[in-house]
Amino acid sequence: MNKTILIEWDKKYIWHPFTQMKNWLDDEPTIFIEGRDCFLKDIDGKWYLDGVSSLWVNIHGHRRQEIDEALKSQIDKLAHSTLLGACNEPSIVLAKKIADLLTENGVPLTKIFYSDNGSTAVEIAMKIAYQYWINQGIKGKDTFVSLKEAYHGDTIGAVSVGGVELFHEVYKPLLNKSIQAPAPYCYRCELNHTYPACELGCLNEMEKIIAQNQEKVIAVIVEPLVQCAGGIIVWPEGYLKGLRELCNKYNILLIADEVATGFGRTGKMFACEHEKVSPDIICLSKGITNGYMPLAITAVNEKIFNAFIGELEEKKTFYHGHSYTGNPLACAVALANLEIFEKEKTVEKLLPKIELLKNKLLEIAQLPYVGDVRQKGMIAGVEIVKDKKNKESFPYFEQTGWKIVKSARKYGVWLRPLGDVIVIMPPLVISEENLERLLEVIKGCIIGLNY
């Protein structure tokens, strides 16, 4: 279709997420029409290296033949059926696959509840955790503990445990009860500590909060190892394991939101593996279908599941569900996606790329406007600052992060920042050559800042 007409219709009819539409209406948008491998093509025929996996969902590259074929094959059989009072084959097979995969990787959560995105997976986890205590006759638990700079999605429940002020402040009058602990954000530690001399002082603060509120705390919910939307905040070693120990000590549930960190992003299939931690509940989405279809999973352990088993008159049923729960197309795509992990040993082959990323980040860290670089596996963030010595940020209105990524687009690299943090999260299958190119463009665009 004609580019001019598409732009006109876009500006007339679409309200874009996380976008100040005044700016959008004054600009010319990029319209993508094709994807291949780690690249996207716009309507003018220009190809871009996808440096953020199309919002962190793409693992194996665009237009994977195996996934294309799985989707087409399932369409010829069944496009949709409800899981309310019925089953479908792909959802059953995928549930077993996910349960086995979690268990094999040290996270033995075998009961699978389906939904369609990260926010709903978190919402389900919160409702399950709350009702778990009710079903056992334990009253008074009505509060979650989460972290500052946390992001768990955009539904009201998920926002209640979010801690990114820019995103969440305006909705506070609508939110559920939660308490926020200091984030393990070593570069900007709110406790003014220095790692590792601090001996995880932020974890001590977490324990104080849990201890003081033990009777009313339902669960602690965190993004293990990397708080992605908060600015790629990479945790210091030992925090996650220590948090699991605290939850055990005070008999509190632990919810791991691995929507962004799951499926190989951190260098292991699940982030919790790095410190041999098994949460009580895990939330998964994004990379589960390689970006092809909306799908999410909330998995729980047997102890939690069994608390919902009872006679009808006991009213222990989990009354929650979605129209598209366990959609056969999405589940078939997810199965094909997981088969590629096994066939190509995707996670096992990441080490050379992780090392390349690490070495290039060391170079970038030396640049004048770079305050900090953070990495866990194939996730990285470059924090841009006005003054390197005192960590002073650029004024928000200057949109420095956006200046860098827009510059990168001129060189055929597609990025999206988080404020003044440049996010690096390419598809896991990116070649070392393209990864190096991606990092060289980022480096050059930071050097080219005109201040």
Side-chain angles (χ1 to χ4, degrees), residues 141 145 179 181 203-217 220 243 246-247 249-252:
K141 287 186 174 289
V145 176
I179 303 170
L203 190 61
N204 294 333
E205 292 299 311
M206 172 65 85
E207 179 166 19
K208 290 177 186 177
I209 289 170
I210 293 175
Q212 291 168 6
N213 299 278
Q214 181 181 5
E215 298 304 315
K216 64 180 183 181
V217 172
V220 177
L243 181 58
L246 287 180
C247 290
K249 178 179 178 180
Y250 293 97
N251 191 28
I252 301 296

Side-chain angles (χ1 to χ4, degrees), residues 341-358:
F341 270 105
E342 294 178 0
K343 180 180 67 176
E344 299 189 354
K345 300 189 181 302
T346 306
V347 176
E348 293 86 339
K349 292 179 179 178
L350 286 178
L351 188 57
K353 292 182 235 186
I354 291 171
E355 284 300 308
L356 173 60
L357 178 55
K358 177 182 176 181

Side-chain angles (χ1 to χ4, degrees), residues 50-116:
D50 188 354
V52 288
S53 299
S54 295
L55 206 59
W56 316 347
V57 300
N58 192 279
I59 299 286
H60 301 299
H62 299 276
R63 291 297 313 277
R64 281 301 299 247
Q65 182 179 354
E66 302 96 317
I67 303 178
D68 289 357
E69 290 176 354
L71 181 56
K72 294 172 184 176
S73 174
Q74 185 58 42
I75 285 175
D76 288 337
K77 299 174 186 175
L78 175 68
H80 183 68
S81 70
T82 179
L83 284 196
L84 278 71
C87 314
N88 67 69
E89 183 180 350
S91 68
I92 295 170
V93 178
L94 178 60
K96 181 184 186 303
K97 186 73 174 178
I98 291 291
D100 289 347
L101 187 63
L102 286 165
T103 302
E104 289 163 8
N105 288 284
V107 187
L109 308 179
T110 57
K111 299 299 182 180
I112 308 301
F113 200 102
Y114 287 112
S115 59
D116 57 0

Side-chain angles (χ1 to χ4, degrees), residues 126-146:
M126 293 173 68
K127 289 178 69 175
I128 287 174
Y130 174 74
Q131 191 176 340
Y132 166 76
W133 298 110
I134 297 294
N135 284 3
Q136 296 188 100
I138 298 173
K139 299 180 180 180
K141 287 186 174 289
D142 60 1
T143 303
F144 288 90
V145 176
S146 57

Side-chain angles (χ1 to χ4, degrees), residues 339-395:
E339 286 172 8
I340 296 174
F341 270 105
E342 294 178 0
K343 180 180 67 176
E344 299 189 354
K345 300 189 181 302
T346 306
V347 176
E348 293 86 339
K349 292 179 179 178
L350 286 178
L351 188 57
K353 292 182 235 186
I354 291 171
E355 284 300 308
L356 173 60
L357 178 55
K358 177 182 176 181
N359 292 332
K360 286 294 180 181
L361 285 173
L362 290 175
E363 294 177 16
I364 291 173
Q366 306 307 311
L367 300 179
Y369 293 116
V370 174
D372 191 34
V373 297
R374 302 184 279 272
Q375 177 196 7
K376 191 65 183 181
M378 289 295 287
I379 301 174
V382 178
E383 185 164 342
I384 306 299
V385 294
K386 185 175 183 179
D387 190 306
K388 197 178 181 92
K389 184 176 181 181
N390 62 22
K391 305 180 184 179
E392 179 188 357
S393 300
F394 282 98

Side-chain angles (χ1 to χ4, degrees), residues 253-427:
L253 298 179
L254 177 61
I255 302 171
D257 175 358
E258 290 225 33
V259 168
T261 58
F263 301 105
R265 288 290 180 192
T266 65
K268 292 185 181 292
M269 185 59 79
F270 304 105
C272 286
E273 293 179 58
H274 287 275
E275 298 194 8
K276 294 180 172 57
V277 162
S278 180
D280 300 290
I281 304 174
I282 196 168
C283 304
L284 303 170
S285 190
K286 287 198 182 291
I288 193 170
T289 67
N290 201 53
Y292 273 63
M293 299 286 290
L295 181 68
I297 280 172
T298 305
V300 308
N301 60 29
E302 296 281 344
K303 178 183 72 173
I304 291 176
F305 178 78
N306 288 338
F308 289 78
I309 302 298
E311 301 299 330
L312 285 177
E313 58 269 24
E314 294 181 90
K315 298 180 180 178
K316 290 185 175 183
T317 302
F318 184 49
Y319 290 108
H320 186 103
H322 301 276
S323 300
Y324 289 91
T325 294
N327 175 261
L329 297 177
C331 291
V333 163
L335 283 165
N337 186 49
L338 294 177
E339 286 172 8
I340 296 174
F341 270 105
E342 294 178 0
K343 180 180 67 176
E344 299 189 354
K345 300 189 181 302
T346 306
V347 176
E348 293 86 339
K349 292 179 179 178
L350 286 178
L351 188 57
K353 292 182 235 186
I354 291 171
E355 284 300 308
L356 173 60
L357 178 55
K358 177 182 176 181
N359 292 332
K360 286 294 180 181
L361 285 173
L362 290 175
E363 294 177 16
I364 291 173
Q366 306 307 311
L367 300 179
Y369 293 116
V370 174
D372 191 34
V373 297
R374 302 184 279 272
Q375 177 196 7
K376 191 65 183 181
M378 289 295 287
I379 301 174
V382 178
E383 185 164 342
I384 306 299
V385 294
K386 185 175 183 179
D387 190 306
K388 197 178 181 92
K389 184 176 181 181
N390 62 22
K391 305 180 184 179
E392 179 188 357
S393 300
F394 282 98
Y396 176 74
F397 68 86
E398 290 192 11
Q399 298 286 281
T400 305
W402 274 107
K403 289 179 181 178
I404 292 169
V405 303
K406 285 186 176 181
S407 177
R409 290 172 188 177
K410 296 176 185 177
Y411 300 98
V413 167
W414 189 264
L415 296 166
R416 182 178 173 87
L418 288 163
D420 285 348
V421 176
I422 309 304
V423 177
I424 304 166
M425 207 183 298

